[in-house]
Amino acid sequence: MTAPAPDPAPDLFTWEFAADPYPAYAWLREHEPVRRTRLPSGVEAWLVTRYGDAKQALADPRLSKNPAHHDEPAHAKGKTGIPGERKAELMTHLLNIDPPDHTRLRRLVSKAFTPRRVAEFAPRVRELTDRLIDGFAERGEADLIHEFAFPLPIYAICDLLGVPPEDQDDFRDWAGMMIRHGGGPRGGVARSVKKMRGYLAELIHRKREALPAEAGPGEDLISGLIRASDHGEHLTENEAAAMAFILLFAGFETTVNLIGNGTYALLTHPGQRARLQESLAAGERGLLETGVEELLRYDGPVELATWRFATEPVAIGGQHIAPGDPVLVVLAAADRDPERFAEPDTLDLARRDNQHLGYGHGIHYCLGAPLARLEGQTALAGLLTRLPDLRLAVDESELRWRGGLIMRGLRTLPVEFTPTGR
């Protein structure tokens, strides 16, 4: 007997795929774990979907983060990064550079994300969480994306960077345009990036003029970047602006999606949600901590790792990748690989062996992961404690996921609950 023919290759990057990409990724893991694919932008790239291959690729120094290594045809020019970042002179940031520049810049900014600094920031995150919940608790309904998951990390990262309170709503507007991924006016993302670049240049100039001789306790990150030097080499203004930009961009959208996707997963898994609520009511944090890691694995905020480009011939999963070829590691597929995770399609908040790739791996591991974990844990604990009967206000089939290649997140998350006082 001949073996049955495999199911046909699934369609990628459709609206149906966006709603639930995991069956397609399971097919790719089994049949074409490293596959050359034409993306919606017209760029051709290799998709890496198995956990072992993904971990190798994320740490392989032959896969550069610098877009200068892309052997790109004319029609693909500028389509492999954040829209508008080239024209806005914001390319020199941690997602686009390799050692030794990456090592130098990462060392300068890493002081803002030490466990101690993040712990000092915890009361502010709790304050923001409670304030945002206060804004809709008495109504009995809310859109948790626009009223909670989105503003929480925006205000938190603005505080960390040192954006004055009176300017933070502007940042919220620009950031909102940046995460629409095609849902707003044509060219809106690039315009928002340009406005943000102009503002950051002005803010850096103002802070440099007023910078005290010695750093005070809890100095904001932009002031720290201005002050910072590494073996006598100061950041250029372009580097400082690009660093502030990418910390804002990478530091808020991932957390929007962590809170949104995580809340949605809990609302659609009532048994797991009840376990977590019981644990929180008992004053325990263990299940909250392992639970956020499981939510990152199960339906994480970053679907594909950011772009990499082969600098020499590379073999991944039996495929030979030519110099200049783009490589996209599919974190969402790797984190449901049954070769690595038992029952990978099951949500288990108590999962212990959980070395997921949700925040990457290797030298480009997400610098802001400790802050994102704090925000995710605080946000979910606040929602489940203060709004214990939280439930979806629409059928699951009515929810829509944002377009875009790298991130995975809901456009809206309408919920209902018993109205409460503040």
Side-chain angles (χ1 to χ4, degrees):
M1 291 180 60
T2 58
D7 293 334
D11 290 329
L12 304 181
F13 312 117
T14 64
W15 287 111
E16 293 78 14
F17 169 84
D20 183 10
Y22 297 102
Y25 289 149
W27 190 97
L28 288 175
R29 278 196 310 268
E30 183 175 355
H31 299 291
E32 292 187 67
V34 182
R35 181 192 196 191
R36 190 172 175 90
T37 304
R38 182 176 292 276
L39 306 175
S41 64
V43 176
E44 290 195 359
W46 294 92
L47 301 183
V48 179
T49 52
R50 287 182 180 168
Y51 183 92
D53 295 336
K55 198 168 182 181
Q56 172 203 330
L58 291 171
D60 194 326
R62 297 170 298 175
L63 297 179
S64 169
K65 299 291 291 172
N66 189 338
H69 291 292
H70 184 195
D71 185 19
E72 56 187 340
H75 75 273
K77 202 77 175 172
K79 292 183 177 179
T80 59
I82 300 167
E85 66 177 354
R86 292 188 190 216
K87 288 184 179 178
E89 297 182 344
L90 288 170
M91 293 290 289
T92 314
H93 57 66
L94 291 174
L95 298 185
N96 281 344
I97 56 174
D98 303 315
D101 284 337
H102 175 272
T103 309
R104 173 178 63 90
L105 294 179
R106 188 176 174 106
R107 186 185 303 128
L108 289 176
V109 78
S110 63
K111 300 164 190 170
F113 296 99
T114 62
R116 178 179 173 184
R117 283 295 300 272
V118 171
E120 289 171 353
F121 205 55
R124 176 59 175 155
V125 175
R126 285 195 296 271
E127 177 191 334
L128 286 168
T129 297
D130 282 333
R131 190 182 85 197
L132 291 167
I133 294 175
D134 286 345
F136 53 76
E138 295 177 348
R139 290 207 321 263
E141 62 178 16
D143 173 3
L144 285 186
I145 300 299
H146 292 282
E147 296 181 72
F148 186 67
F150 175 66
L152 174 60
I154 277 287
Y155 292 137
I157 201 73
C158 280
D159 283 353
L160 195 70
L161 287 170
V163 176
E166 61 270 20
D167 295 341
Q168 293 187 5
D169 284 338
D170 286 337
F171 260 74
R172 180 175 173 168
D173 291 343
W174 298 329
M177 181 60 69
M178 288 163 64
I179 71 167
R180 288 187 190 178
H181 297 312
R186 184 175 179 84
V189 176
R191 282 195 297 274
S192 293
V193 170
K194 187 175 181 180
K195 288 177 182 177
M196 196 175 285
R197 170 67 174 92
Y199 174 82
L200 288 170
E202 178 190 339
L203 183 62
I204 288 168
H205 178 73
R206 291 204 319 255
K207 285 183 176 287
R208 178 173 278 126
E209 294 289 304
L211 199 67
E214 298 291 333
E219 181 175 68
D220 68 72
L221 185 49
I222 289 179
S223 295
L225 289 174
I226 295 167
R227 187 187 301 282
S229 63
D230 185 35
H231 304 296
E233 182 177 6
H234 290 267
L235 281 160
T236 67
E237 186 167 296
N238 269 355
E239 286 175 333
M243 183 72 76
F245 165 74
I246 203 60
L247 289 172
L248 177 81
F249 185 80
F252 87 86
E253 189 172 4
T254 53
T255 310
V256 174
N257 296 345
L258 168 58
I259 297 169
N261 298 5
T263 303
Y264 173 60
L266 292 173
L267 293 180
T268 51
H269 293 80
Q272 293 292 308
R273 175 250 191 93
R275 288 180 64 192
L276 182 53
Q277 285 180 302
E278 290 168 10
S279 173
L280 292 169
E284 300 165 356
R285 288 193 60 87
L287 191 63
L288 178 65
E289 292 172 359
T290 60
V292 165
E293 298 310 304
E294 175 69 346
L295 294 169
L296 284 162
R297 182 201 70 82
Y298 179 77
D299 197 12
V302 184
E303 191 166 342
L304 283 75
T306 50
W307 296 85
R308 285 165 167 76
F309 308 94
T311 58
E312 59 184 87
V314 179
I316 304 175
Q319 290 286 359
H320 294 283
I321 295 168
D325 279 2
V327 175
L328 288 167
V329 177
V330 188
L331 304 178
D335 279 342
R336 293 221 192 172
D337 188 341
E339 293 295 314
R340 177 59 185 83
F341 300 99
E343 298 184 53
D345 295 321
T346 298
L347 181 69
D348 177 7
L349 299 184
R351 190 184 294 267
R352 293 287 178 182
D353 180 18
N354 199 358
Q355 296 297 312
H356 63 77
L357 300 176
Y359 282 124
H361 173 68
I363 64 169
H364 290 282
Y365 182 83
C366 177
L367 191 64
L371 178 60
R373 287 186 166 101
L374 168 68
E375 291 172 341
Q377 291 172 15
T378 306
L380 292 173
L383 287 173
L384 295 179
T385 302
R386 293 191 54 186
L387 310 174
D389 64 345
L390 191 70
R391 57 195 177 273
L392 281 174
V394 298
D395 188 82
E396 291 177 49
S397 64
E398 295 182 44
L399 296 174
R400 294 291 177 266
W401 295 81
R402 287 196 300 272
L405 190 65
I406 302 298
M407 301 291 183
R408 173 165 172 78
L410 288 161
R411 289 180 181 270
T412 61
L413 185 56
V415 294
E416 299 172 333
F417 48 87
T418 300
T420 67
R422 297 191 176 194

